[in-house]
Amino acid sequence: MLQRTIKTGAWSAVAMLTLTAAACGSDDEACSGAPNNNCAEVDAAVPSGCTSSAECAAPTAVCDVGGTATCVACTAGEASACTGTTPVCGADNTCGGCTSHAACAASDVCLPTGACADAATVAYVAPGGSGTTCTQAAPCNKLGAALMTDRPYVKMTGTINDQVTLTNQTVTVLADPGAVLTDTTNGVLVRIDGASQVSIYDLAIQDASGGTNPGLSLQTGNMATVRLERVAVSGHAGAGITMSGGTLTVTGSTVSGNQGVGITASGGTLTVTGSTVSGNQGGGLDVTGVGTSFEITNNVISYNGVATGPAATTLGGGLVAPNTPGSRFAWNTVAFNRNSGALSRGGVTCLGAMVQAPGNIVYGNTEATTTSDATQTGGSCGFGNTLALGSSANNLGFKSPLTSPFDFHLTATTPTTVLNAGGACTGDDLDGDTRPQGGACDLGADELVP
């Protein structure tokens, strides 16, 4: 016997099916109303799925009428079913977060949460802009003007020439691909003070000219919280980034080609993860000051410092001086940095006995003219299973450590002294790959993915 549930105008669902060897007869009440009381003809008339969204309910409230005839989260024709932090309808008819500004047609602003911003909450900045209200239709041409609107979001496009100071301000700065903040006059390019809450995404901060000024500075006495994600800080006459207090998080970013130190911290809390600090003449990282707290993990720190000449530096890859419990310098690749050999190692000098520094690769760094194993690390930190090697007699199987752009990813030729030799580690690697991939983490910033 075949039992059915009937909605007006269409068969909607099968409740129970009992098959017997005998065919459905003309006197079977289950087939009453069908031509000749024939069940086979009824079966042919039953739709295979939904025919309109009225038949669907959340979270799959849209009928894919022209496709699978099933209830889905969204379709190209009903993309507006996707809202909130999942505003984009994908090819698989599911809602997801935006991953680019272009995915947000109305505002052209994709927020870090995956939601599309309301254009009314955004101050827009673009080269050649002549507006004073920094709207999408009439953008301003200065970042400072956008900040004065006190809107929670600023969207930057192109190259903007400006110096800015943020004091007690809460703002998120988002940038189109290739957007640059630069300046041709003497001074700090981005100065942050007070209790500001500032996040910057995807922006290049370049070429502050003159003196010894850094590109970005958390000023003395500040209580700011600053986040830099996928930010490039390069080409400054002084340090790339300086902080004397507050909280700074640098993730997925690049600090390179600055004439001073890449990042200096003399107070506050510093977190650097998944980033590259490279080619800074004054050295890579300089963390000092009583009570400075730090978490420096899964980074490549390479080719920093100058060993000889007028600009010779005493800092190579990194100097970590404060003895702050809970601080770590771990799972970094510190390679081919140079110093004058006067005060610190070419690789890492870590002076805090209560600081943990396991899982690093410290490789091929130079004190003046030597690259021996003994010159790679120094100090009283807990280096644990950190591997410290001079480059002359060792090959760690990096992709291309000697050819620009330098590539310190591991390969199948990397020896077992590195692969699965790092024990337990924290967080993802330099590229966001899950660690570990094997029985234990690989040493250094990169986890080899099979």
Side-chain angles (χ1 to χ4, degrees):
M1 180 176 68
L2 182 66
Q3 294 184 345
R4 303 178 184 274
T5 301
I6 304 174
K7 292 178 71 174
T8 302
W11 299 97
S12 65
V14 176
M16 177 172 37
L17 179 65
T18 303
L19 294 177
T20 65
C24 180
S26 61
D27 60 346
D28 194 325
E29 293 182 2
C31 298
S32 177
N36 301 316
N37 290 341
N38 191 328
C39 283
E41 295 188 35
V42 172
D43 290 338
V46 176
S48 60
C50 62
T51 59
S52 75
S53 295
E55 301 172 44
C56 300
T60 55
V62 177
C63 181
D64 185 14
V65 176
T68 61
T70 58
C71 294
V72 295
C74 64
T75 62
E78 293 191 54
S80 60
C82 296
T83 59
T85 57
T86 56
V88 178
C89 184
D92 59 354
N93 295 332
T94 62
C95 295
C98 59
T99 58
S100 69
H101 297 307
C104 299
S107 65
D108 195 34
V109 176
C110 176
L111 299 177
T113 61
C116 292
D118 181 345
T121 66
V122 181
Y124 293 85
V125 185
S130 57
T132 58
T133 57
C134 307
T135 62
Q136 189 174 11
C140 298
N141 63 5
K142 295 290 185 182
L143 175 57
L147 294 172
M148 290 179 65
T149 68
D150 284 329
R151 292 176 202 148
Y153 306 110
V154 171
K155 169 71 180 303
M156 294 185 63
T157 300
T159 298
I160 304 299
N161 192 315
D162 200 9
Q163 283 182 3
V164 295
T165 298
L166 297 93
T167 303
N168 298 324
Q169 187 161 5
T170 298
V171 67
T172 297
V173 179
L174 304 125
D176 267 335
V180 177
L181 178 66
T182 189
D183 188 54
T184 57
T185 60
N186 189 11
V188 178
L189 193 50
V190 180
R191 184 188 301 260
I192 300 174
D193 205 353
S196 294
Q197 307 283 311
V198 180
S199 296
I200 303 175
Y201 293 84
D202 301 302
L203 181 65
I205 301 173
Q206 295 180 354
D207 301 325
S209 301
T212 58
N213 293 294
L216 183 144
S217 177
L218 278 69
Q219 296 291 288
T220 300
N222 82 89
M223 298 175 289
T225 299
V226 178
R227 180 178 182 85
L228 307 180
E229 187 160 343
R230 300 182 302 274
V231 170
V233 183
S234 65
H236 301 289
I241 300 170
T242 64
M243 64 177 296
S244 59
T247 300
L248 173 64
T249 299
V250 181
T251 183
S253 296
T254 300
V255 183
S256 64
N258 300 288
Q259 294 181 36
V261 180
I263 301 174
T264 69
S266 57
T269 300
L270 173 66
T271 300
V272 185
T273 184
S275 296
T276 297
V277 182
S278 183
N280 301 286
Q281 293 186 30
L285 289 144
D286 187 0
V287 184
T288 59
V290 176
T292 303
S293 177
F294 55 92
E295 177 87 355
I296 301 169
T297 58
N298 300 299
N299 306 287
V300 168
I301 304 167
S302 65
Y303 292 98
N304 299 288
V306 179
T308 59
T313 177
T314 58
L315 176 65
L319 174 65
V320 180
N323 192 24
T324 309
S327 290
R328 292 193 305 164
F329 184 94
W331 294 284
N332 302 290
T333 298
V334 185
F336 297 99
N337 300 283
R338 304 167 296 279
N339 73 1
S340 64
L343 296 176
S344 64
R345 298 289 189 263
V348 179
T349 303
C350 189
L351 303 179
M354 290 187 288
V355 173
Q356 296 303 305
N360 300 290
I361 296 174
V362 188
Y363 177 75
N365 302 283
T366 303
E367 286 182 26
T369 59
T370 180
T371 60
S372 70
D373 294 359
T375 69
Q376 303 304 306
T377 61
S380 55
C381 290
F383 282 101
N385 57 359
T386 282
L387 180 65
L389 294 172
S391 62
S392 58
N394 301 284
N395 180 5
L396 297 187
F398 295 128
K399 279 193 174 179
S400 66
L402 300 175
T403 304
S404 181
F406 308 110
D407 191 337
F408 289 94
H409 286 88
L410 306 180
T411 68
T413 65
T414 299
T416 55
T417 51
V418 172
L419 299 179
N420 299 315
C425 59
T426 301
D428 297 334
D429 78 347
L430 179 74
D431 305 309
D433 294 325
T434 301
R435 310 190 79 165
Q437 292 286 323
C441 295
D442 301 334
L443 295 176
D446 180 45
E447 185 78 8
L448 182 63
V449 178

